[in-house]
Amino acid sequence: MKLSQSVSQSGESISTMMLKSRLASVFDNPNCLLGRRNRHQFLVTLLVNIATFSHGLGVGWMSPVMRDLQTDHSPLDFPVLVDQVSWIGSLVGIGSVMGNLLAGFLQDRIGRKLILFFIAMPYTIFWCLIYFVQSVEFLYIGRLMAGMTGGACYVVLPTFISEIADTNVRGRLGSIILLSVNTGVLAGYIVSTSADYYTSPPFIIALPVCYFICNFLFPETPHHLIRKGNFDAAKRSFMFYKNIRRDDLKAESEFEELKYLLTKEQAEKAKSYDYRDFITKPAFKAYATAGAMLIANQFSASFCIITYLSDVFAASYTTLNLSMCTIVIGVLQIVGNYVTTLLCDKYGRRILVLTSTSGASICLTAFASFTFFAKTYDLSVVGWLPLVILSFFVFLCNIGMVGCLFVILVEIFPSKIRSVAVSTFVVILSSTVFVTLKIFPICMAVWGISVTMWCCSGITFTCFLYFCFFLEETKGKSLLEA
C-alpha cells in the first residue's frame, strides 16, 4: 500500500515538473507575448487599447441606430432625414482629422502619455451628448468628439507601441490596435440591437474612466524620454517595458546602445532636418506605398460597409435577419485581425496585403454581380449569399490592408521623417474617411449598390497590382534604420 502511494506521488511530482518545464520553455520563448521579456509590452498594449475598443464600440453602436433614426421606430422624439444621417455618419472623419492634428502636433512636445490621457475626454463627451440628445446637432457634435478620440488613437498608439515593443513582436502588438477596434465594433452591434437607446450610455461611460485610471500604471516611452534628455527616467522606463532587472549587464548595454542611436539621430536631425529629407528616393517610395495603402483601405469600402452595414444588407436582397448579419460580420472582423496578429511577424506584411487586396476585389465583384442579377431574377433560394460574400470580404480586408495598415505606415518611412510623415498620412486617411463616408450613401442612392461595389472592386484590384510590383517587405526592420 505504501509502495503504491509513493509510486503515485512520484508520478504526480514528475508530471508536475514536466508541466512546469513546458511552461518555463513557453515563457522563455522570445516570441511569446507572455514571455518574461514581452509580458509588460503586451499588457500595456492591452491597457492602452481600451481606447480603441471604446472607439469601435461607438462606431458599431451607431450603425443600427442610424438605420432606426430614419424609420417610424426612431428612439428620438424628432425626425432625422437621410441627408442628416449622412452627416452623422461622416462627421467622425472631420473629428478624426482634428484628433490627428492635435496628437501629431503635441506628441513630440508633451509626450505620448499626456496624449493618451487626453483621449478619454472627447469620448466621454460623445456618450453624454448621445444620452442627453435634444436635437440632431447633439449627434453631430457627439460624432465629432468620437472622431477626435479615434483620430488621436491612430496617431499616438502606433508610435507608442512601436517604441515600447521589441522588433520580433512589434507587428503583433501593432495589429492589436485594429483588433481592439473591431472587437469594439462587434460589441457595439450587439449592445445596439439588444439594449434600448438610453440604456447603454450610462454603462459605456465607465470605459473611458477605467482607461484614464489605467494610464497611471505605466511610464512614458524610453524613446521620448531619451529625446528629452531625461536619461534616468528613460532607463527606468526601458527596464519596465523589457521586464528586466537592474543588474542585467546585457540590458545595460542594450539601453546604452539605444541611447547612443537616438541621441545621434537627434543631433543629425537638428543639423540637417530640411526639405531635402522629404524628397529622397526612399521617401518618395514610401509616399507611393502609403498612398496606395490608404486608397486600398478606404476606397475598397471596407470602413463604409462597416459604418452603413445595416443599409448595405437591406439593399443586398438577403433573406436573413439583418441584426444577425451585422453580428456575424463583427465576429469575422475580429477573426481577421486575430489572424493578422498570428501571421504578421511570422510570414511578413507583404503576403498578407497581397492576399487581402486580391481577395477583397473578388468578393466585391461577386457581391455587385449578385445584387445586379437579384433585381431581375428571384435569387431568394440563395438569399444567404450576400452574408457569405461580405463575411469573406471583411475577413480578407482585416488580415491585410486594414490589419497591417498602421504597422506598415510606421515601418516604411525613413527614420528622419517618420514622425512627420506618419502624422501627415494619418491626417490624409481621416480626411478620406470623411469623404468616403459622405459619398458612399449618395453613390448607393444614385448609381445603385451594384455599380458602387464594382467601382470599389476596380480600385482595390488596381492597388493589388501596385503592391505586386512595388510593395517591399518591412518585417524585422529596425525603426532606427534610414
Side-chain angles (χ1 to χ4, degrees):
M1 185 71 176
K2 288 181 179 179
L3 180 62
S4 64
Q5 285 180 345
S6 64
V7 170
S8 174
Q9 289 173 354
S10 64
E12 288 176 5
S13 63
I14 291 171
S15 62
T16 303
M17 288 173 63
M18 289 177 64
L19 178 62
K20 288 181 178 178
S21 175
R22 285 176 183 171
L23 287 173
S25 65
V26 169
F27 290 136
D28 286 339
N29 183 350
N31 293 316
C32 175
L33 291 179
L34 286 174
R36 188 176 67 82
R37 169 87 176 192
N38 305 323
R39 196 175 302 151
H40 286 181
Q41 301 168 29
F42 178 54
L43 294 176
V44 170
T45 298
L46 292 181
L47 289 179
V48 296
N49 275 291
I50 295 174
T52 51
F53 172 83
S54 303
H55 176 62
L57 180 64
V59 171
W61 187 85
M62 282 301 296
S63 180
V65 167
M66 284 192 291
R67 182 193 67 207
D68 293 341
L69 292 179
Q70 304 169 66
T71 68
D72 296 332
H73 306 292
S74 173
L76 307 180
D77 14 346
F78 55 87
V80 179
L81 305 177
V82 174
D83 183 58
Q84 292 172 324
V85 168
S86 75
W87 278 108
I88 294 169
S90 60
L91 274 170
V92 70
I94 297 293
S96 189
V97 172
M98 294 165 63
N100 296 154
L101 293 172
L102 279 171
F105 178 75
L106 294 174
Q107 69 170 344
D108 286 335
R109 290 168 172 79
I110 65 174
R112 288 77 167 115
K113 273 291 297 289
L114 285 176
I115 302 294
L116 292 175
F117 277 113
F118 158 79
I119 285 171
M121 289 186 284
Y123 189 71
T124 306
I125 294 170
F126 163 64
W127 284 108
C128 289
L129 290 170
I130 288 292
Y131 187 73
F132 295 107
V133 61
Q134 298 295 319
S135 67
V136 73
E137 285 75 22
F138 279 62
L139 299 177
Y140 289 164
I141 297 170
R143 286 287 279 177
L144 204 66
M145 292 294 104
M148 285 185 67
T149 294
C153 282
Y154 293 144
V155 169
V156 74
L157 284 189
T159 305
F160 178 85
I161 292 170
S162 67
E163 289 182 350
I164 68 169
D166 283 345
T167 304
N168 59 315
V169 297
R170 189 175 64 221
R172 278 178 288 168
L173 293 182
S175 60
I176 289 175
I177 295 173
L178 269 300
L179 178 63
S180 301
V181 172
N182 289 334
T183 305
V185 169
L186 172 61
Y189 289 155
I190 295 171
V191 170
S192 186
T193 54
S194 306
D196 179 72
Y197 178 94
Y198 290 101
T199 303
S200 311
F203 295 97
I204 296 174
I205 282 178
L207 278 172
V209 175
C210 291
Y211 164 78
F212 187 85
I213 294 169
C214 287
N215 273 290
F216 289 100
L217 302 178
F218 52 86
E220 178 62 85
T221 69
H223 289 62
H224 179 74
L225 292 169
I226 289 172
R227 289 186 178 112
K228 291 298 180 182
N230 196 345
F231 299 127
D232 290 337
K235 187 174 182 180
R236 290 193 298 272
S237 172
F238 182 84
M239 296 294 184
F240 171 82
Y241 286 118
K242 310 305 179 186
N243 195 22
I244 45 186
R245 296 182 297 272
R246 288 182 177 278
D247 56 351
D248 191 322
L249 295 178
K250 184 181 176 183
E252 289 275 355
S253 62
E254 205 176 331
F255 173 75
E256 290 302 323
E257 182 184 6
L258 175 68
K259 178 179 164 184
Y260 168 75
L261 290 171
L262 287 173
T263 307
K264 181 182 174 185
E265 180 193 283
Q266 282 291 97
E268 289 176 355
K269 191 180 289 187
K271 278 190 248 177
S272 58
Y273 192 73
D274 59 26
Y275 76 94
R276 285 184 291 255
D277 297 319
F278 293 90
I279 56 174
T280 61
K281 186 178 179 180
F284 279 117
K285 286 177 68 176
Y287 300 151
T289 299
M293 285 295 298
L294 263 58
I295 292 169
N297 181 278
Q298 284 303 306
F299 288 94
S300 64
S302 58
F303 191 59
C304 293
I305 287 174
I306 295 305
T307 302
Y308 298 109
L309 190 57
S310 297
D311 295 312
V312 170
F313 272 120
S316 70
Y317 300 93
T318 184
T319 55
L320 301 177
N321 177 271
L322 296 185
S323 297
M324 183 271 290
C325 289
T326 57
I327 291 171
V328 170
I329 293 297
V331 171
L332 265 296
Q333 275 191 291
I334 296 170
V335 173
N337 272 127
Y338 181 67
V339 169
T340 305
T341 65
L342 296 177
L343 302 182
C344 193
D345 285 318
K346 187 172 184 180
Y347 295 108
R349 290 67 159 138
R350 188 174 188 274
I351 187 65
L352 293 179
V353 171
L354 292 176
T355 304
S356 175
T357 47
S358 59
S361 178
I362 293 169
C363 290
L364 288 168
T365 300
F367 186 82
S369 301
F370 177 88
T371 54
F372 179 78
F373 288 111
K375 294 176 188 174
T376 310
Y377 305 102
D378 181 12
L379 300 180
S380 57
V381 68
V382 286
W384 44 266
L385 200 54
L387 174 61
V388 173
I389 294 171
L390 283 186
S391 295
F392 276 108
F393 169 74
V394 166
F395 174 79
L396 288 164
C397 282
N398 280 280
I399 66 169
M401 57 184 171
V402 174
C404 292
L405 173 65
F406 293 107
V407 176
I408 292 174
L409 275 184
V410 168
E411 293 176 340
I412 58 173
F413 287 104
S415 60
K416 193 175 283 189
I417 66 168
R418 181 175 294 123
S419 180
V420 175
V422 171
S423 298
T424 301
F425 270 88
V426 172
V427 170
I428 296 170
L429 172 64
S430 298
S431 305
T432 312
V433 167
F434 168 73
V435 172
T436 53
L437 288 179
K438 184 64 180 165
I439 67 173
F440 185 77
I442 297 171
C443 290
M444 283 181 60
V446 176
W447 297 344
I449 193 168
S450 303
V451 175
T452 302
M453 293 303 182
W454 273 323
C455 290
C456 293
S457 175
I459 293 170
T460 308
F461 184 72
T462 303
C463 291
F464 163 73
L465 293 178
Y466 175 86
F467 295 138
C468 276
F469 294 104
F470 300 110
L471 180 62
E472 296 179 356
E473 182 56 72
T474 57
K475 172 189 170 186
K477 179 181 177 182
S478 169
L479 289 183
L480 295 176
E481 289 178 28

